[in-house]
Amino acid sequence: MRLLYFAWVKEKVGVAAEEIDPPAGVATIAELIDWLKARGPEFENAFARSEVIRAAIDKRHVRHDASIAAAREIAFFPPVTGG
Amino acid sequence: MIRVQQEDFDIGAEIARLRAGRTDIGAIVSFTGSVRDQSGEVTDMTLEHYPGMTEAELQRIEAEAQARWPLQASLIVHRYGALMPGDNIVLVVTASEHRDTAFDAAKFLMDYLKTGAPFWKRETGPGGARWVEASAHDEASAARWTKPKRAAE
């Protein structure tokens, strides 16, 4: 699946997008965040306050308990500040 | 209708286009959001967004407004990219038979856009650049619109 990062999440992880293949046990957004955090200090730092991180699956907002089973594109970003 | 663009917009021209050839509209409300310099603290701003999701979210929010109120027309235009103090950021226009509908729907659109549309502001000032933090006030404004629905459940 494709991961996208925006705003300060992107700056902290150091990439805008990447392809990942998480292990089968990673079933939800929260579990994906935990898996990402173990990949390196930049991910640990970006997701340190994981409760403030927002997520979208295939361009729709989702909560951290959402299943990622059918996801093609998952995005992580801070709370939005447009308008 | 929704549009996401780098270019500026002309409020008068947008409203003229929206009402062109129509004689059924009784009330038009418009809201324009612009970049504030915050007493010299902001010299420029960059608006990042999530192409694809931005358009989908704005369409979803507009459809929600049209489901809640008898709108005759609506328009959301949101800019992205590099902006300067005084520049336009966002335009919301609503048209209906009566003013209350247009006012309420315009506020709803802005409140939902503020908390749902995937835009992020990065401000630059004398002290450097920083990402703007989301405001609890915006969350509270958007949450108000869900109360009547909950009460009915």
Side-chain angles (χ1 to χ4, degrees):
Chain A
M1 64 184 64
R2 186 168 174 78
L3 289 193
L4 301 177
Y5 307 101
F6 292 94
W8 56 253
V9 179
K10 175 175 66 181
E11 286 183 353
K12 288 184 176 182
V13 301
V15 294
E18 62 176 330
E19 293 289 333
I20 58 151
D21 189 11
V26 176
T28 65
I29 291 289
E31 288 166 7
L32 179 59
I33 289 175
D34 286 342
W35 182 75
L36 289 170
K37 282 167 83 170
R39 291 167 83 208
E42 66 275 30
F43 287 91
E44 177 73 47
N45 179 33
F47 290 94
R49 291 185 302 140
S50 64
E51 69 280 4
V52 306
I53 304 284
R54 302 290 192 265
I57 293 179
D58 295 329
K59 301 185 172 70
R60 287 189 74 97
H61 291 289
V62 294
R63 293 167 16 150
H64 285 198
D65 60 1
S67 166
I68 63 168
R72 282 166 303 185
E73 181 176 288
I74 299 177
F76 290 108
F77 43 78
V80 302
T81 55
Chain B
M1 192 205 295
I2 67 108
R3 288 205 324 267
V4 181
Q5 62 188 41
Q6 273 189 283
E7 318 83 73
D8 194 13
F9 48 79
D10 180 326
I11 301 159
E14 297 293 348
I15 293 175
R17 193 175 309 138
L18 181 130
R19 72 191 302 184
R22 297 189 62 163
T23 54
D24 58 330
I25 293 171
I28 297 172
V29 165
S30 79
F31 170 86
T32 309
S34 55
V35 182
R36 288 177 297 145
D37 68 3
Q38 298 178 34
S39 308
E41 290 299 304
V42 177
T43 52
D44 65 74
M45 173 187 284
T46 304
L47 255 167
E48 182 175 327
H49 79 118
Y50 181 176
M53 179 169 173
T54 306
E55 291 82 356
E57 272 296 301
L58 293 180
Q59 276 162 0
R60 192 183 62 76
I61 293 165
E62 186 185 48
E64 176 75 25
Q66 288 175 352
R68 289 183 180 221
W69 289 278
L71 292 176
Q72 293 169 316
S74 57
L75 172 68
I76 305 173
V77 182
H78 205 301
R79 298 180 68 191
Y80 65 92
L83 301 173
M84 301 292 285
D87 282 353
N88 292 321
I89 301 174
V90 60
L91 173 67
V92 161
V93 183
T94 53
S96 56
E97 289 190 349
H98 303 290
R99 69 182 184 283
D100 284 349
T101 300
F103 272 122
D104 289 352
K107 178 146 177 32
F108 170 89
L109 286 170
M110 275 310 302
D111 287 346
Y112 266 48
L113 182 158
K114 277 269 184 190
T115 54
F119 288 96
W120 301 275
K121 288 174 180 157
R122 184 177 171 79
E123 293 174 344
T124 305
R130 67 176 192 100
W131 291 99
V132 173
E133 294 225 9
S135 94
H137 171 80
D138 290 339
E139 290 287 341
S141 292
R144 274 209 306 271
W145 294 104
T146 63
K147 276 178 188 164
K149 203 175 163 190
R150 276 188 197 139
E153 280 169 5

